[in-house]
């Protein structure tokens, strides 16, 4: 698709800027106003950062400039230089009470940890602490819940009480995403939908 192509081109350009125009970053942060694309180019360079402390410093500086779901979703990654992911997340706990896209940034960080099934209790605990009510935050929470259910349905459904921590809107969107998943059976999708509809 054109979106994928655009994303790939942006990543190639960000790498080129990092190698050939390292002054781009200083120029970017010197500006009082900046474009969507400039934020993307600055953020996409972070995947190549090798120092975790520098990564934290750069993200703290960049995240306040996010004003789109694409910024959070394209820039926040499972960064290779991060050794202890939940220790890394502690540096960003303040985002849980920030602006809409700061909160979404934190939720997307949690989403990136969904590949680690042992982290689910911690992820749910952190999701509960994120203030709900903003559309792009709620959609990110729903996406994260659906991802966990799709990856580890049996264990997640052993204690469905945690669902009471989330708004009906979040739960309905999570159920919708589950219905779109190829990793859940028809019976599992039906049960999740019925559970949510009874809230």
């Amino acid at each position: 698709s054109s979106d994928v192509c655009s994303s790939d081109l942006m990543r190639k350009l960000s790498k080129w800027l990092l190698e050939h125009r390292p002054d781009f970053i200083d120029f970017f942060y010197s500006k009082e106003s900046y474009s969507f694309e400039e934020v993307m180019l600055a953020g996409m360079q972070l995947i190549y950062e090798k120092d975790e402390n520098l990564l934290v410093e750069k993200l703290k500086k960049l995240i306040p400039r996010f004003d789109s779901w694409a910024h959070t979703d394209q820039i926040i990654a499972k960064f290779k230089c991060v050794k202890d992911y939940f220790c890394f997340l502690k540096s960003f706990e303040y985002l849980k009470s920030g602006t809409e896209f700061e909160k979404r940034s934190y939720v997307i960080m949690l989403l990136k940890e969904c590949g680690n099934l042992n982290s689910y209790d911690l992820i749910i605990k952190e999701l509960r602490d994120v203030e709900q009510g903003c559309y792009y935050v709620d959609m990110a929470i729903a996406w994260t819940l659906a991802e966990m259910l799709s990856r580890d349905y049996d264990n997640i459904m052993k204690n469905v009480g945690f669902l009471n921590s989330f708004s009906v809107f979040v739960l309905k969107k999570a159920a919708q995403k589950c219905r779109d998943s190829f990793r859940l059976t028809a019976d599992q999708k039906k049960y999740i939908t019925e559970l949510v509809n009874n809230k």
Side-chain angles (χ1 to χ4, degrees), residues 21-36:
R21 291 297 304 271
D23 57 325
F24 166 76
I25 290 296
D26 289 336
F27 165 74
F28 170 70
Y29 283 114
S30 70
K31 299 176 67 175
E32 292 186 6
S33 61
Y34 31 82
S35 68
F36 169 89

Side-chain angles (χ1 to χ4, degrees), residues 128-140:
R128 284 170 166 165
D129 290 342
V130 178
E131 182 183 358
Q132 298 166 56
C134 293
Y135 178 80
Y136 287 107
V137 178
D138 290 355
M139 290 299 289

